[in-house]
Amino acid sequence: GENVEQHPSTLSVQEGDSAVIKCTYSDSASNYFPWYKQELGKRPQLIIDIRSNVGEKKDQRIAVTLNKTAKHFSLHITETQPEDSAVYFCAASARNNAGNMLTFGGGTRLMVKP
Amino acid sequence: KAGVTQTPRYLIKTRGQQVTLSCSPISGHRSVSWYQQTPGQGLQFLFEYFSETQRNKGNFPGRFSGRQFSNSRSEMNVSTLELGDSALYLCASRRAQTPYEQYFGPGTRLTVT
């Protein structure tokens, strides 16, 4: 089955700096890669996603890049703000005979210091 | 459009008991997935239901089961509860089984004593 590894597990940055979180996946058939943000005590929220036919996608201060050859994808947050502090999860979806299922990385705790 | 809802939000049970959790997906969403979230293990996939049929199953013992009704609402059941079952149980819905966006509910916090 699919295996997703996420690094780093914790990341501390100064407000205004950039943050980068990286994920690798094992199944070359994976074709959908979402990122979720989970604030303390709240549900995971989808913040951006990318499909395998696209190499990069941006939405304001966040961007995701995908390298299918190397089987890794990354989340980039620019001009970080204290409200960006949360746990971020990457995931990969591969189609199997029964449909699609998401496999999540272990999460990255991002702390933005004011 | 209303989001994914889960009931109850908090639950305390004793070892050996059983529990049933409920999830109502976003209107029009036919796929419901369940996840267990613990501090040490992250988000672990339990199972996915689509059109009342279980389509995928994670690596959990048979004590964990689920079902989906014709209105797409889903329930999961855990029998013979163990201390290690204490976790946040999240459900997520999406429109169909193709890789559409998946949206999470607020979760049910289960504590087993």
Side-chain angles (χ1 to χ4, degrees):
Chain A
E2 174 68 277
N3 182 49
V4 178
E5 295 193 356
Q6 183 172 347
H7 299 281
S9 56
T10 60
L11 179 60
S12 181
V13 300
Q14 208 66 37
E15 182 178 358
D17 288 349
S18 295
V20 180
I21 303 170
K22 298 181 179 180
C23 289
T24 60
Y25 61 98
S26 61
D27 190 344
S28 56
S30 288
N31 57 5
Y32 176 64
F33 307 91
W35 286 88
Y36 286 84
K37 174 185 179 182
Q38 188 175 27
E39 296 176 78
L40 190 61
K42 297 191 176 180
R43 72 187 77 188
Q45 287 195 306
L46 178 67
I47 56 171
I48 195 168
D49 57 12
I50 192 168
R51 300 178 196 274
S52 60
N53 59 345
V54 175
E56 183 176 3
K57 184 176 179 181
K58 287 184 180 179
D59 183 4
Q60 299 182 10
R61 293 187 299 109
I62 61 173
V64 57
T65 58
L66 171 65
N67 183 327
K68 287 189 294 182
T69 303
K71 289 191 281 187
H72 68 70
F73 56 113
S74 300
L75 177 71
H76 305 253
I77 306 175
T78 59
E79 301 173 24
T80 54
Q81 301 167 4
E83 51 265 40
D84 294 328
S85 296
V87 178
Y88 291 80
F89 292 96
C90 64
S93 177
R95 188 170 181 84
N96 58 28
N97 290 334
N100 292 278
M101 56 176 282
L102 281 177
T103 301
F104 283 84
T108 296
R109 183 173 299 279
L110 173 64
M111 293 171 284
V112 180
K113 299 176 183 177
Chain B
K1 189 183 278 190
V4 180
T5 58
Q6 292 186 245
T7 56
R9 293 292 312 279
Y10 302 92
L11 206 49
I12 300 175
K13 289 286 188 178
T14 304
R15 225 172 0 171
Q17 289 185 316
Q18 75 161 14
V19 66
T20 299
L21 312 181
S22 180
C23 172
S24 292
I26 293 170
S27 177
H29 285 197
R30 297 168 62 192
S31 168
V32 174
S33 297
W34 288 89
Y35 296 86
Q36 181 193 65
Q37 186 174 33
T38 58
Q41 297 296 319
L43 279 159
Q44 301 288 310
F45 173 77
L46 281 155
F47 27 66
E48 179 184 18
Y49 286 86
F50 180 77
S51 294
E52 302 177 64
T53 302
Q54 186 180 92
R55 297 303 178 110
N56 283 293
K57 190 177 192 305
N59 189 25
F60 278 82
R63 300 185 296 106
F64 292 80
S65 63
R67 59 179 177 170
Q68 186 180 34
F69 301 94
S70 57
N71 62 357
S72 295
R73 189 178 69 86
S74 177
E75 290 181 347
M76 68 163 280
N77 183 277
V78 188
S79 62
T80 321
L81 284 166
E82 300 177 358
L83 296 179
D85 297 333
S86 294
L88 180 67
Y89 290 88
L90 292 158
C91 77
S93 76
R94 55 182 170 176
R95 194 164 2 123
Q97 275 205 297
T98 51
Y100 290 119
E101 296 84 356
Q102 181 172 258
Y103 298 95
F104 282 90
T108 294
R109 172 75 62 187
L110 172 64
T111 302
V112 182
T113 62

